[in-house]
Amino acid sequence: MNKDSKIYVAGHHGLVGSAIWNNLLQRGYTNLVGRTHSELDLTDQLAVRRFFDDERPDAVVLAAAFVGGIMANSLYRADFIMMNMKIQCNVISEAYAHGVKKLLFLGSTCIYPKNAPQPMKEDCLLTSPLEYTNEEYAIAKIAGLKMCESYNLQYGTNYIAVMPTNLYGPNDNFHLENSHVMPAMMRKIYLAKLIHDSNWNAITTDMNKRPVEGVSGSSSHDEILTVLGKYGVYDNKVVLWGTGTPLREFLWSEDMADASVHVLLNVNFADIIGIEKYSSVHFGASTDGAVDRNHSAGRGGAIPQLGEIRNCHINVGTGKELTIRDLSELVVKAVGFEGEVEFDSSKPDGTMRKLIDVTKLHSLGWTHKVEIDDGVNRLFEWYQNSLA
């Protein structure tokens, strides 16, 4: 792609999408297209089709998704599978129908089996059962990466799927009802400190910015304390779900963006499956930029001489891990919290270990830059600035 290529970033206000947008701008790719959810509902097939009719992007980054943590995944199981499937089906099918030359699909490492060998290689996909608490989201993401793989094999497209590990960073979701582990933990510890300090001005600001179950900074002190108590936030004390022993890998969102853009600009499907040269008859667009639907006719959705082709997605992470308890200690240090962090072992831990193998990513020319201790400090700094 050249610097004038029109690139549509779906989810450009989200954690990863916003970072990808900024990374592209920094690299000189300024012909970017984005729509907020209110401007374009990606679950609406006709609206997505009209958007592609009007914009005709050369490339698509599908970073939009319906996401949340363990609690949200447990409560809204139907929403997690249906919303994500609709988004993926609509965007990928319209990208193909409109001759998009390159598509990058962002998934999640929750696609891997609960008891997958560690660290998890790409080829452990679909080898045993998933973690129950996020099964619906994982199935949707597996379907998305399989869509990319299958379109490539049947139609000769160039759609790449990347599977990031747990992400954190600027524009993270700190809403306690549906946030991921690190931002939820950070906000809880921060609020417990504020309660202990009787800093109601700061508490009011925080709750006005991100109300909890409809309780905002204008609510009474008792109402605020009651709703925060439901989420384990007390005076100088925080209660977190689980035992604190699960191991997790975390990747700074701007590192994820850099990896994503690296793949978008430099990696093709042929590179992933180990084939050095392909004519446009096999993979890629025709000379006029439109995908030639006839080039793969008669292949039957496969290339027989290559055997079975699967697991073409790319893990994106650091290859490093720490326990949830160790993470809480980093957050406590960043926030300056001097109270108690308690773990409620009656609540689920989720998957006990989830470390990915990043050998394929490294072989494609990219490694992470931000280490976890630095990243936690950066995230808390961003969170404080978001309240200003």
Side-chain angles (χ1 to χ4, degrees):
M1 287 185 294
N2 59 46
K3 297 295 176 66
D4 296 324
S5 296
K6 180 182 283 190
I7 304 173
Y8 168 46
V9 182
H12 73 297
H13 281 175
L15 172 64
V16 185
S18 61
I20 289 174
W21 183 283
N22 291 332
N23 190 285
L24 285 165
L25 288 176
Q26 291 165 10
R27 293 174 184 248
Y29 291 83
T30 58
N31 191 7
L32 306 181
V33 180
R35 294 289 187 275
T36 64
H37 177 70
S38 61
E39 293 170 332
L40 175 61
D41 180 357
L42 293 176
T43 66
D44 183 335
Q45 184 179 19
L46 291 178
V48 174
R49 182 170 300 166
R50 286 193 295 268
F51 167 79
F52 275 86
D53 285 343
D54 293 340
E55 293 294 342
R56 300 277 173 175
D58 299 301
V60 170
V61 176
L62 181 43
F66 187 76
V67 299
I70 291 178
M71 183 184 294
N73 274 273
S74 299
L75 293 174
Y76 310 116
R77 298 180 74 88
D79 289 346
F80 271 88
I81 191 165
M82 184 61 73
M83 298 288 280
N84 284 298
M85 288 294 293
K86 284 183 176 181
I87 291 169
Q88 294 161 192
C89 288
N90 290 340
V91 173
I92 293 173
S93 64
E94 292 305 323
Y96 170 68
H98 291 81
V100 166
K101 300 171 187 175
K102 190 78 174 283
L103 183 142
L104 185 72
F105 171 74
L106 276 69
S108 166
T109 53
C110 73
I111 62 168
Y112 292 119
K114 179 177 182 177
N115 297 316
Q118 304 287 323
M120 299 179 291
K121 295 180 179 292
E122 286 85 355
D123 60 10
C124 73
L125 180 67
L126 297 176
T127 55
S128 61
L130 299 164
E131 161 60 38
Y132 180 76
T133 57
N134 60 16
E135 190 174 40
E136 280 70 21
Y137 183 75
I139 289 172
K141 289 301 178 182
I142 292 169
L145 74 87
K146 284 296 183 182
M147 282 185 227
C148 293
E149 188 177 280
S150 300
Y151 267 81
N152 291 343
L153 292 174
Q154 183 171 346
Y155 296 121
T157 51
N158 197 11
Y159 300 167
I160 312 297
V162 291
M163 300 296 121
T165 189
N166 301 290
L167 300 173
Y168 68 106
N171 297 310
D172 217 331
N173 175 14
F174 284 82
H175 292 274
L176 296 184
E177 295 155 84
N178 60 4
S179 56
H180 284 128
V181 59
M182 191 188 301
M185 179 190 295
M186 185 170 286
R187 187 180 181 198
K188 289 176 182 181
I189 290 171
Y190 175 62
L191 284 168
K193 180 179 186 297
L194 294 181
I195 293 171
H196 181 68
D197 294 342
S198 297
N199 190 346
W200 282 98
N201 286 335
I203 294 171
T204 297
T205 299
D206 185 282
M207 296 294 288
N208 278 333
K209 180 75 174 182
R210 299 174 179 89
V212 180
E213 294 187 8
V215 176
S216 68
S218 61
S219 302
S220 70
H221 290 186
D222 285 344
E223 288 174 317
I224 291 173
L225 292 175
T226 297
V227 76
L228 290 181
K230 288 179 63 176
Y231 291 88
V233 181
Y234 305 99
D235 180 348
N236 222 31
K237 178 181 175 180
V238 172
V239 179
L240 302 176
W241 278 29
T243 62
T245 58
L247 288 157
R248 288 293 181 270
E249 174 184 15
F250 294 94
L251 180 67
W252 182 245
S253 61
E254 291 175 335
D255 269 357
M256 174 58 195
D258 193 61
S260 298
V261 175
H262 173 81
V263 170
L264 179 69
L265 300 179
N266 301 299
V267 178
N268 296 309
F269 186 64
D271 301 320
I272 296 170
I273 62 177
I275 301 170
E276 293 181 2
K277 292 183 179 180
Y278 259 116
S279 68
S280 60
V281 173
H282 291 68
F283 293 102
S286 61
T287 54
D288 63 0
V291 173
D292 188 337
R293 299 166 191 248
N294 297 316
H295 278 160
S296 58
R299 283 215 313 257
I303 305 173
Q305 64 268 32
L306 298 177
E308 293 183 352
I309 297 176
R310 53 164 58 98
N311 303 328
C312 303
H313 55 285
I314 305 168
N315 288 340
V316 181
T318 64
K320 301 179 180 181
E321 61 188 345
L322 77 167
T323 67
I324 295 298
R325 186 178 296 276
D326 287 341
L327 175 64
S328 72
E329 292 172 0
L330 289 178
V331 174
V332 162
K333 183 178 179 181
V335 174
F337 182 62
E338 297 180 352
E340 178 185 1
V341 175
E342 178 183 309
F343 285 87
D344 181 357
S345 60
S346 70
K347 296 294 193 297
D349 273 322
T351 305
M352 291 306 295
R353 191 181 183 204
K354 208 170 77 165
L355 178 66
I356 56 173
D357 186 301
V358 289
T359 302
K360 182 186 288 188
L361 178 66
H362 289 176
S363 73
L364 294 169
W366 190 90
T367 57
H368 76 284
K369 300 174 183 66
V370 178
E371 300 295 348
I372 185 66
D373 49 352
D374 180 32
V376 167
N377 288 323
R378 291 192 193 191
L379 182 62
F380 184 57
E381 182 180 359
W382 181 89
Y383 182 68
Q384 288 182 299
N385 291 336
S386 77
L387 298 171

